[in-house]
Amino acid sequence: MSQVERGAEQFTHRFAVEADLHHVERIFDQFDREVGWVRRPSILEGIEREQLMVSEVDGTIIAAALIYHRLDKQTTIYSIAVDRWCHGWGTGRSLLDFISTISRERGQRVIRAKCRVGEKANLFWEKTGFTIHSVQQSKFSTLNLWVRPIEGAS
């Protein structure tokens, strides 16, 4: 668990538990176009493997991130979302710092994320120190592959 103060807000970051399921679904459902439809089995697997993180303010879950620690020392962020009413609080950046810390502790060296070309979320990745590694064509869209080395990783 990690606590961070940003202005008037104090975020608590932690691994999700099964009781968080509906809150996490609610957050991801707000962004189904941007992050895709995050299915319940994926969320439950993330909880089981400690690869689903949440951010809270005053006990209310306001953000979630579904990640995967790969064997090749890369952490992939599959989905990350902050409740719409909390945008601009620094929650996403703070959650990303928590993901970096956990990834470094698990021996990872780099974080990767994909984002559709033209989405506003690309600005988030750029502002948080990610660089475009490549542009990939998927079956339905063109994606930027964002990467960022994990500070202090060996």
Side-chain angles (χ1 to χ4, degrees):
M1 187 177 332
S2 166
Q3 289 192 329
V4 180
E5 288 191 38
R6 299 269 190 194
E9 305 303 331
Q10 182 175 354
F11 305 124
T12 300
H13 306 296
R14 62 175 174 79
F15 294 108
V17 296
E18 200 163 334
D20 300 329
L21 177 65
H22 296 293
H23 303 287
V24 170
E25 286 179 319
R26 178 186 55 79
I27 291 168
F28 284 144
D29 285 350
Q30 292 177 36
F31 302 95
D32 60 346
R33 188 182 71 77
E34 293 89 346
V35 300
W37 186 47
V38 182
R39 299 171 44 130
R40 181 174 283 199
S42 298
I43 293 170
L44 290 170
E45 184 178 350
I47 291 169
E48 182 181 315
R49 293 184 174 191
E50 290 192 332
Q51 295 185 340
L52 179 65
M53 285 89 167
V54 295
S55 299
E56 297 176 304
V57 169
D58 297 327
T60 300
I61 295 174
I62 60 169
L66 184 60
I67 67 168
Y68 181 71
H69 300 294
R70 296 171 29 156
L71 295 176
D72 62 357
K73 306 286 186 191
Q74 297 182 65
T75 294
T76 300
I77 299 175
Y78 286 119
S79 302
I80 186 169
V82 175
D83 202 321
R84 289 193 192 279
W85 64 270
C86 301
H87 283 193
W89 293 5
T91 312
R93 180 182 298 269
S94 185
L95 181 56
L96 190 55
D97 291 343
F98 179 64
I99 292 167
S100 293
T101 299
I102 296 300
S103 297
R104 182 177 46 255
E105 290 171 357
R106 295 189 179 186
Q108 304 298 87
R109 294 188 182 135
V110 68
I111 298 176
R112 300 165 38 118
K114 291 181 181 177
C115 186
R116 279 190 210 106
V117 171
E119 290 287 340
K120 289 193 303 186
N122 284 292
L123 188 57
F124 168 77
W125 298 113
E126 184 178 9
K127 284 183 174 182
T128 55
F130 282 74
T131 57
I132 295 177
H133 177 266
S134 62
V135 177
Q136 301 174 345
Q137 185 63 46
S138 75
K139 189 173 184 177
F140 301 107
S141 60
T142 306
L143 303 168
N144 288 326
L145 172 58
W146 292 93
V147 296
R148 183 177 88 178
I150 297 172
E151 288 185 34
S154 53

